Amino acid sequence: MPQVLTHQQLLETAKEFGTPLYVYHAERITEQYLRLKEAFRETNASFFYACKALTNVNILRHIRQIGCNVDCSSVNEVKLALSAGFEPARILYTSNNIAFSEITEAVGLGVNINIDSLSNLRKFADQYGHSYPVGVRLRPNIMAGGNIKISTGHGKSKFGIPVEDIDKVIDLIREKDLQIRTLHIHTGSEIKDVEVFVKGIEVLFDLAPRFPALKTIDLGGGIKVPYKPGEEGTDVALLGKRVKEEFEGFAEKTGRRLQVWFEPGKFLVSEAGYLIVQTTVLKQSGATCFVGVDSGLNHLIRPMFYGSYHHIENISNNSGALRPYHIVGNICETDSFAEDRMVAEIREGDYLVLYNAGAYGFEMASNYNARFKPAEVLVKDNKAQLIRRRDTLDDLLATQLILKD
Ligand SMILES: *Cc1c(COP(=O)(O)O)cnc(C)c1O
C-alpha cells in the first residue's frame, strides 16, 4: 500500500504552518523510486528525476540521498542540483531551444547534455568535436501522453531534432568526429500505454547502427500516476519487463548492450505532494454553491492550464454529507479548481486538500495579483519541517528599483 499522509496529519500541519501550504512526503518519493528500481532490477537502467516538477533544494537533496540522479531543463536547475550536492556525472541537462551559451556553460560544469536542435548540435560539433560526448534529443513523430498540451514527440512539436533530419546528424559524426553517446526521446506526459515506450525504443534501435559511440537510449519521462480515485497509472512492472525484452533482443541481434535511462518527474513527486487551502466564503448562486478558497491559479495552475483533475477532500469535516461544489480561487481571473465536485459538506473556514500537488504545483506558482506564494513543508521521519517560508511584502519589492520622482 502506498504511503499517505492522513487527514489528521495534514490538518495539524496546516494549522501549524498556515495556509495555503504545500506539503511533501519524503517517504512517498522514496517508495516511488524503489518501485522503479524493482521493476528494472534486471535491466541496466538509470533514473534521472526531471526536477522541473519540483526543485526545492531539500527535495533535490532527498532525491540524491536515495540514489536517484537528476535531469534539468535549464542551466539554473543544473546549478540548483550542484548546490544540492549532486556530482556532475549524476546530472543530465535536457534543454530545448536554448541559447548556445547555456550549453557551453553546462560543458564548463561537466554535466551530461542532450541537445535538441541541429543548429546547436552544429555549433557544439565545431567547438568540442570529439572531446565531449553528447546526447541528441530526437522527435520521433509519435503521438503520446494525456492531452495535446503535454504531448511533445509528435510531428508538429517544437521539441527535438525531427528524425527525418537524421542524415544531417550523421554528417556531423563524419565531419567533426562527434561522439554521440545518447539518443533521447521524451514523447509526452501521462503515458499510460507501455507500448508507446516500446514504439519509441524501436525507433531508436532502428537508428542505433548509425551511431558507433552509442551507449544509452534515453526514453525521457511521462510515466503516468493516477489522479482520479480508481484511475490507474502506467504499469511500471510491465514497462520494466517489456524494456528488458526489447534490450535483450537487441543485444542478441547486434551484440551491443545498451543501457536505458528514464527521466521521471510526475512519477516520483506528484502523489507525494498536497496543497492545503482554507475556505474563505461560500456563495450560493441558483443551484450552484461556489466555495472560495485562499489560493487560486497563482498557486496551482494545472486545472486552468491543462484542464487537469485534482482530487479534493474536506479534511476538517470529512464526515459531512457529500454535496456538489464549484471550488474556486481568489484571483481576478476565472480560476476554478473543480466544478460540480462532490465533497463532504463545506463550511467557511474548513480546510481542503488538493491531491497530486507535488509535480508542477509550486513550481509553476506565481505572484499574480501580488499574492504571496505558498510556504512549503517537508514531512520526513514523521517530522514536518518548513523548507520554504511564505513570501513577505518585502519579497515582492525586493527586485524592483524605485525611480526618483
Ligand atoms: C518534463 C520532462 C520530463 C518529465 O516529465 P513527467 O511527465 O513529469 O515525467 C522528462 N524529460 C524531459 C526532457 C522533460 O522535459
Side-chain angles (χ1 to χ4, degrees):
M1 265 313 276
Q3 304 209 30
V4 290
L5 297 178
T6 63
H7 283 186
Q8 191 57 31
Q9 281 171 300
L10 292 169
L11 191 58
E12 280 167 18
T13 312
K15 286 182 175 165
E16 181 178 352
F17 296 96
T19 60
L21 187 71
Y22 275 102
V23 180
Y24 311 118
H25 188 193
E27 283 79 12
R28 184 61 199 271
I29 297 173
T30 310
E31 183 178 28
Q32 290 293 92
Y33 179 60
L34 295 179
R35 274 179 69 195
L36 284 178
K37 292 287 284 181
E38 171 63 20
F40 286 86
R41 69 187 183 286
E42 292 172 11
T43 305
N44 183 359
S46 289
F47 302 95
F48 294 76
Y49 164 53
C51 74
K52 73 175 190 287
L54 176 61
T55 58
N56 187 295
V57 170
N58 298 280
I59 300 294
L60 298 182
R61 286 166 59 98
H62 180 70
I63 291 282
R64 174 176 58 77
Q65 284 159 5
I66 63 179
C68 186
N69 308 307
V70 66
D71 176 46
C72 302
S73 300
S74 72
V75 76
N76 287 345
E77 283 185 359
V78 171
K79 290 172 187 173
L80 288 179
L82 288 167
S83 77
F86 283 95
E87 298 140 27
R90 288 180 59 189
I91 300 175
L92 173 60
Y93 182 19
T94 308
S95 57
N96 77 91
N97 302 314
I98 56 169
F100 187 65
S101 57
E102 267 196 50
I103 294 177
T104 51
E105 221 182 328
V107 170
L109 297 170
V111 302
N112 301 290
I113 301 169
N114 288 330
I115 294 181
D116 102 312
S117 69
L118 263 180
S119 166
N120 275 337
L121 194 64
R122 286 199 180 107
K123 291 176 195 161
F124 189 91
D126 283 341
Q127 190 149 337
Y128 303 105
H130 188 75
S131 69
Y132 203 96
V134 72
V136 172
R137 177 175 185 168
L138 297 174
R139 193 191 71 193
N141 303 340
I142 292 173
M143 186 57 87
N147 66 58
I148 187 73
K149 281 196 188 170
I150 55 174
S151 183
T152 52
H154 57 83
K156 292 202 164 89
S157 163
K158 70 159 186 170
F159 295 95
I161 300 174
V163 280
E164 51 272 26
D165 283 343
I166 203 72
D167 290 344
K168 296 173 185 152
V169 176
I170 307 284
D171 286 346
L172 293 174
I173 301 179
R174 240 196 354 257
E175 290 161 18
K176 308 283 179 178
D177 200 15
L178 194 60
Q179 268 197 79
I180 297 184
R181 199 169 54 183
T182 304
L183 290 180
H184 171 283
I185 53 171
H186 169 69
T187 56
S189 197
E190 304 185 12
I191 305 168
K192 181 162 184 301
D193 181 2
V194 165
E195 292 309 310
V196 170
F197 289 97
V198 174
K199 209 156 123 195
I201 293 171
E202 284 165 358
V203 170
L204 298 182
F205 279 172
D206 281 347
L207 300 172
R210 307 181 70 187
F211 291 85
L214 188 68
K215 289 204 161 48
T216 307
I217 297 288
D218 180 346
L219 296 175
I223 304 171
K224 181 177 164 48
V225 293
Y227 275 75
K228 291 184 182 161
E231 193 182 23
E232 285 186 21
T234 312
D235 182 343
V236 290
L238 179 63
L239 179 61
K241 178 171 167 287
R242 292 291 290 116
V243 168
K244 175 176 180 260
E245 288 167 2
E246 291 291 317
F247 277 66
E248 282 180 354
F250 183 79
E252 271 166 36
K253 219 161 58 197
T254 64
R256 294 173 83 184
R257 294 209 162 268
L258 299 176
Q259 58 179 339
V260 63
W261 287 358
F262 283 96
E263 302 159 356
K266 279 178 190 161
F267 184 80
L268 290 175
V269 297
S270 175
E271 294 161 289
Y274 305 80
L275 173 61
I276 309 175
V277 301
Q278 197 172 12
T279 65
T280 46
V281 292
L282 263 58
K283 245 184 231 180
Q284 192 70 40
S285 162
T288 302
C289 183
F290 288 103
V291 175
V293 302
D294 61 355
S295 183
L297 58 66
N298 53 329
H299 297 157
L300 180 67
I301 201 172
R302 299 186 74 258
M304 295 311 293
F305 193 18
Y306 304 126
S308 309
Y309 179 99
H310 285 265
H311 190 57
I312 299 177
E313 286 177 2
N314 184 347
I315 56 176
S316 51
N317 189 33
N318 195 43
S319 53
L322 287 177
R323 292 193 43 192
Y325 295 100
H326 280 26
I327 298 167
V328 296
N330 58 6
I331 292 302
C332 294
E333 297 280 343
T334 298
D335 61 340
S336 299
F337 285 130
E339 290 181 359
D340 284 322
R341 185 69 67 81
M342 299 303 284
V343 182
E345 184 181 4
I346 299 175
R347 307 154 305 183
E348 289 186 357
D350 270 337
Y351 291 85
L352 308 182
V353 60
L354 288 86
Y355 290 90
N356 286 83
Y360 312 106
F362 182 91
E363 214 50 40
M364 288 189 172
S366 76
N367 290 110
Y368 187 46
N369 280 196
R371 291 205 174 270
F372 301 146
K373 288 188 195 171
E376 294 179 287
V377 163
L378 180 62
V379 177
K380 192 169 183 171
D381 301 328
N382 276 318
K383 224 169 51 213
Q385 288 181 289
L386 196 64
I387 55 171
R388 186 192 305 264
R389 65 162 172 77
R390 203 171 295 285
D391 285 340
T392 65
L393 198 63
D394 284 343
D395 292 323
L396 298 188
L397 287 167
T399 52
Q400 303 190 38
L401 304 176
I402 316 290
L403 300 177
K404 289 209 179 72
D405 286 334

